[in-house]
Amino acid sequence: MALSVMLCGASDTENVQDDFAEVVEGFGGEAWHYLSGRIQYLNDANASWERNSITSVQEADVCVFVLIDRYGVVTWEKELHAALESGRPFLVFCFAKTYQDYRTLSSKVSDLAVLDENGQRLVRLLRDLESDERQLTVVQFRYNDFAKKLRSHFGTLIERLLRERTTTRPAARGTRQRRPTAKVFLSHSYRSPEINLRFFDKVAELTDLRFEVDRKGLRLSTTRLERLIRNTDYFVGFYPLRGDLETMSRDDLVRSATYFQLELEMAARARKPAIAFIDQRYQSVLNPPRGVQAVKYSAQEALSDNDQLVERAIQRPFADFLLRFEGAPRRISVDDGASVGILVPTENAHDAELGAIVVESIETRGRDTVLVPIPPAMDDRFLARLRECDSVVLSMDHPAAPVVAAYLRGQAVPTLRLRHGPEPETPEPDASVDTLLFGGQARHYAKDVVYWDDVETLHARVLDRAERIFAEPRLMDTTSKARGYFEAAAQLPMPVFLSYADDDHDVAAALALVLRSRFTEVLNVVDRGALRQRARTISDLDRADVAITLLTRAYADAEDCREEARLIAERHASWQLRVFAIQVENVRLDLLGNPKYRRADASWADIVNDIVQELRNRPGSGS
């Protein structure tokens, strides 16, 4: 339900009514004012304007009292008391000239008889508002800055109101306290689990978030991304910056931000309420489109143990965001079972056959289709049909296709494009169309074009792409599921080969336990006393992406360990393995070649974390 905000004052508040409504509606709220008819009316045998005003104050979420130069009896003698008694939060604004006149009269005039009745009431009222008993804050304004000041001071109430709505209070017996729940598109870095967990935990204190994630290994599809963003209530982005800023060039920052920028641009076109928390070290590289609430945060504050710093960095901005859009419509969204629009030429039998193949491929994946001839008449009827489509498949081989593609993009309709011709080894944007349509994001969209040179290829590739686009995501609908997801995302998809001497089994077992929390698989760890076979060792090394050796005197003296070291060095020299040598004792082994040496003078968790960070920050690793 939208936030209801009531404007209270005499009839001269009509001078600020429009500004009041604009600010309140900008926060996603309902503006109540008796001049607009937006207050509670109770008509019965005992009806009265006074009682209706008091009822409205009691039912509003916030009241804004405005004093210009007329004293309103109902406002200041009934509505103000109702607000005070009900505990409703409220603001008090006073026209600057009226306030200054009051201050002068208050200090220099002892006999109020020199004033007319309205003036006497104004002086008494302002004295009362700022008295030791009331201790209310009165905000001065001029007509040209009322909206700005209202927006600023209204924002200070956001966090308090949200906490009142979301904090669990003792509920009546047999009932369950409800909290706001929203389905969001969560844009984040899979490789930054620590910051993801911190942001999610703090946001989850304010509202219940549901979000969807893809299974591992699912390749990027811009059509799929647009569908997922389109069918959510909000867009929320967590954008940390990994790596050593001192060694990162501007080009490094741009590469790190490119995928985030893609998703932000999609959210803006879908006109989704959107908020993005951006590591301030991105400086001006990561710039959300207009309409996205951007929050630049300090990584040190966000990860701090100081609750006030974390609250300032994360919770206050998110509370503001939620109150602005609570109860707002989802804007562009379609039913999950909506049809897929097929926009292909129908000018001859060959084109009709191609259209039938595309329809069959999509329907094989369980989606209904609707055939829309190209070129369409892009009028209201066409737009209405698009609104009923889950997504669109568009043949780019018709001369009118670029115009249709531009229209679909402007309407935020997820579009899979088809092109006749051989598939390029490296998909590149079409300079004549893609660069104009997609700008700096053109290379991402170029990867989501289906190329075909015969009907069999067309059927197979559309079938494959449809499977990717419509694959069922995993729903994270509880905090425990979300935490499990983020913790699993902390694992690198790299098998690790752990090389150690039998005498060091206990040390290796302790390290392996930590490694399993950060890597998908740990190889070559056997039970105490078990024999390690050479064939199994070679097989494990062939599968591994990373090798870690525990260097001790026992390792350097054991022939089987020296043989493992030779095998590791061979694969390291041919770029098949990244190798790290941990010196449990002060031992170096020339057989290993030139690995990364680390001393075991820190905890295993710290050592493994350093290795993980180095692997993630390697060239070409992305975000």
Side-chain angles (χ1 to χ4, degrees):
M1 183 176 179
L3 193 73
S4 54
V5 187
M6 182 173 175
L7 175 60
C8 303
S11 59
D12 55 1
T13 52
E14 65 181 351
N15 295 317
V16 297
Q17 178 188 355
D18 291 343
D19 286 341
F20 168 78
E22 180 181 349
V23 171
V24 170
E25 290 167 4
F27 278 91
E30 291 183 355
W32 290 7
H33 187 216
Y34 79 95
L35 290 175
S36 64
R38 295 296 294 276
I39 63 172
Q40 303 300 310
Y41 290 103
L42 301 176
N43 294 318
D44 56 33
N46 300 312
S48 71
W49 293 337
E50 178 182 306
R51 192 178 68 165
N52 288 338
S53 295
I54 293 173
T55 300
S56 298
V57 169
Q58 292 170 339
E59 295 193 7
D61 293 303
V62 180
C63 290
V64 177
F65 289 86
V66 176
L67 176 61
I68 297 181
D69 60 12
R70 297 180 192 171
Y71 183 88
V73 175
V74 172
T75 293
W76 299 110
E77 297 180 15
K78 302 298 179 182
E79 292 176 344
L80 177 62
H81 291 288
L84 290 167
E85 291 175 2
S86 66
R88 288 286 182 274
F90 62 88
L91 301 169
V92 180
F93 288 82
C94 182
F95 189 58
K97 184 177 185 305
T98 300
Y99 185 86
Q100 291 157 9
D101 288 347
Y102 146 72
R103 296 294 297 177
T104 300
L105 292 170
S106 178
S107 60
K108 295 183 179 180
V109 178
S110 57
D111 185 1
L112 295 182
V114 301
L115 300 174
D116 59 17
E117 183 179 0
N118 183 75
Q120 292 178 20
R121 285 177 168 176
L122 291 179
V123 171
R124 292 192 182 101
L125 170 63
L126 289 166
R127 280 179 177 172
D128 180 57
L129 292 175
E130 295 186 327
S131 66
D132 291 339
E133 180 183 357
R134 296 280 189 220
Q135 297 186 25
L136 299 178
T137 299
V138 178
V139 180
Q140 298 181 60
F141 73 92
R142 295 177 175 81
Y143 287 130
N144 62 356
D145 66 5
F146 176 75
K148 178 180 178 181
K149 291 195 172 183
L150 175 60
R151 187 178 295 108
S152 172
H153 289 277
F154 186 72
T156 63
L157 295 177
I158 294 297
E159 181 183 1
R160 172 183 169 183
L161 288 171
L162 189 72
R163 288 189 180 278
E164 288 179 353
R165 291 186 174 198
T166 60
T167 301
T168 303
R169 300 181 177 89
R173 183 172 297 178
T175 65
R176 182 176 180 271
Q177 187 72 23
R178 298 186 61 188
R179 288 170 21 122
T181 302
K183 181 181 179 183
V184 305
F185 183 91
L186 190 58
S187 177
H188 61 288
S189 169
Y190 291 92
R191 297 176 178 177
S192 301
E194 185 181 18
I195 197 75
N196 287 337
L197 278 170
R198 171 55 62 93
F199 270 88
F200 181 82
D201 284 344
K202 293 305 176 182
V203 165
E205 291 178 10
L206 302 178
T207 188
D208 294 325
L209 293 185
R210 295 179 295 121
F211 63 97
E212 295 175 330
V213 297
D214 284 334
R215 66 175 185 266
K216 287 185 178 180
L218 193 67
R219 288 181 297 164
L220 170 67
S221 166
T222 52
T223 311
R224 176 178 177 78
L225 272 179
E226 290 178 330
R227 287 183 67 250
L228 294 176
I229 291 173
R230 190 186 197 195
N231 291 318
T232 55
D233 299 308
Y234 306 129
F235 178 98
V236 179
F238 302 154
Y239 300 142
L241 181 62
R242 297 182 300 103
D244 184 358
L245 194 63
E246 294 181 359
T247 63
M248 297 182 73
S249 66
R250 183 176 177 83
D251 288 343
D252 292 330
L253 292 173
V254 170
R255 280 192 295 271
S256 182
T258 181
Y259 193 73
F260 299 152
Q261 199 76 50
L262 171 69
E263 294 185 338
L264 282 166
E265 186 271 341
M266 289 180 174
R269 280 193 298 106
R271 299 190 289 282
K272 290 295 173 185
I275 183 171
F277 292 88
I278 302 171
D279 192 313
Q280 63 188 13
R281 294 174 296 173
Y282 273 112
Q283 303 169 30
S284 61
V285 167
L286 183 52
N287 295 310
R290 186 175 181 180
V292 176
Q293 181 178 334
V295 181
K296 297 294 181 71
Y297 71 87
S298 160
Q300 294 185 69
E301 289 187 1
L303 294 172
S304 170
D305 293 328
N306 185 315
D307 290 340
Q308 290 184 335
L309 290 179
V310 176
E311 183 179 14
R312 182 177 69 185
I314 302 173
Q315 290 183 306
R316 288 184 186 175
F318 196 76
D320 180 2
F321 171 75
L322 284 182
L323 275 182
R324 287 178 60 198
F325 294 106
E326 184 182 5
R330 290 171 58 180
R331 307 290 180 91
I332 299 176
S333 60
V334 295
D335 296 334
D336 291 337
S339 300
V340 177
I342 310 297
L343 275 71
V344 297
T346 58
E347 296 169 354
N348 52 55
H350 177 67
D351 290 338
E353 180 186 4
L354 297 180
I357 291 172
V358 175
V359 167
E360 179 186 355
S361 302
I362 297 296
E363 292 185 348
T364 298
R365 294 303 182 198
R367 312 297 299 196
D368 291 334
T369 60
V370 54
L371 192 62
V372 182
I374 187 172
M378 289 184 286
D379 52 18
D380 290 345
R381 293 181 60 188
F382 178 61
L383 180 58
R385 295 181 74 179
L386 289 180
R387 286 283 184 259
E388 297 173 358
C389 288
D390 168 275
S391 52
V392 161
V393 179
L394 172 64
S395 172
M396 296 299 295
D397 299 316
H398 192 281
V403 176
V404 177
Y407 183 83
L408 294 174
R409 180 166 171 77
Q411 295 297 326
V413 178
T415 303
L416 175 65
R417 292 173 296 151
L418 311 179
R419 288 189 187 277
H420 184 258
E423 182 171 11
E425 291 185 8
T426 303
E428 293 293 339
D430 181 339
S432 63
V433 177
D434 292 358
T435 303
L436 179 63
L437 278 178
F438 307 114
Q441 305 299 335
R443 67 183 186 87
H444 292 297
Y445 287 89
K447 297 175 184 178
D448 207 22
V449 176
V450 173
Y451 291 88
W452 62 279
D453 46 19
D454 56 59
V455 293
E456 290 79 11
T457 303
L458 178 63
H459 175 70
R461 289 182 176 171
V462 172
L463 196 66
D464 174 73
R465 198 61 55 88
E467 181 179 16
R468 191 189 314 176
I469 292 171
F470 302 117
E472 188 72 17
R474 294 169 53 208
L475 178 64
M476 301 291 109
D477 57 352
T478 66
T479 301
S480 61
K481 282 185 182 179
R483 286 192 62 85
Y485 160 73
F486 287 126
E487 288 167 358
Q491 292 183 315
L492 280 177
M494 297 178 176
V496 177
F497 183 92
L498 183 57
S499 182
Y500 63 97
D502 289 337
D503 290 351
D504 302 321
H505 181 276
D506 291 346
V507 177
L511 174 57
L513 189 64
V514 177
L515 288 171
R516 289 190 180 99
S517 70
R518 303 303 302 274
F519 292 87
T520 53
E521 191 173 9
V522 180
L523 306 171
N524 198 42
V525 180
V526 299
D527 294 335
R528 176 185 288 277
L531 295 175
R532 284 178 281 179
Q533 300 176 354
R534 178 179 169 82
R536 176 65 180 273
T537 297
I538 293 175
S539 174
D540 283 350
L541 273 172
D542 287 341
R543 292 173 54 206
D545 295 314
V546 179
I548 296 176
T549 61
L550 286 178
L551 292 183
T552 63
R553 292 184 181 87
Y555 187 94
D557 293 341
E559 184 56 37
D560 58 338
C561 293
R562 295 173 67 84
E563 178 61 22
E564 279 187 11
R566 279 190 286 268
L567 295 171
I568 290 170
E570 289 176 3
R571 286 159 176 77
H572 178 53
S574 61
W575 301 95
Q576 297 178 50
L577 275 180
R578 292 289 296 273
V579 180
F580 299 88
I582 300 177
Q583 294 175 295
V584 180
E585 297 173 347
N586 190 19
V587 174
R588 295 180 72 91
L589 194 63
D590 292 339
L591 285 171
L592 280 172
N594 187 30
K596 294 276 188 176
Y597 280 92
R598 278 177 168 73
R599 295 189 60 84
D601 52 6
S603 69
W604 289 129
D606 289 340
I607 292 172
V608 171
N609 184 62
D610 287 344
I611 292 173
V612 167
Q613 290 304 316
E614 183 164 341
L615 290 169
R616 282 183 169 157
N617 293 333
R618 71 191 190 281
S621 65
S623 295

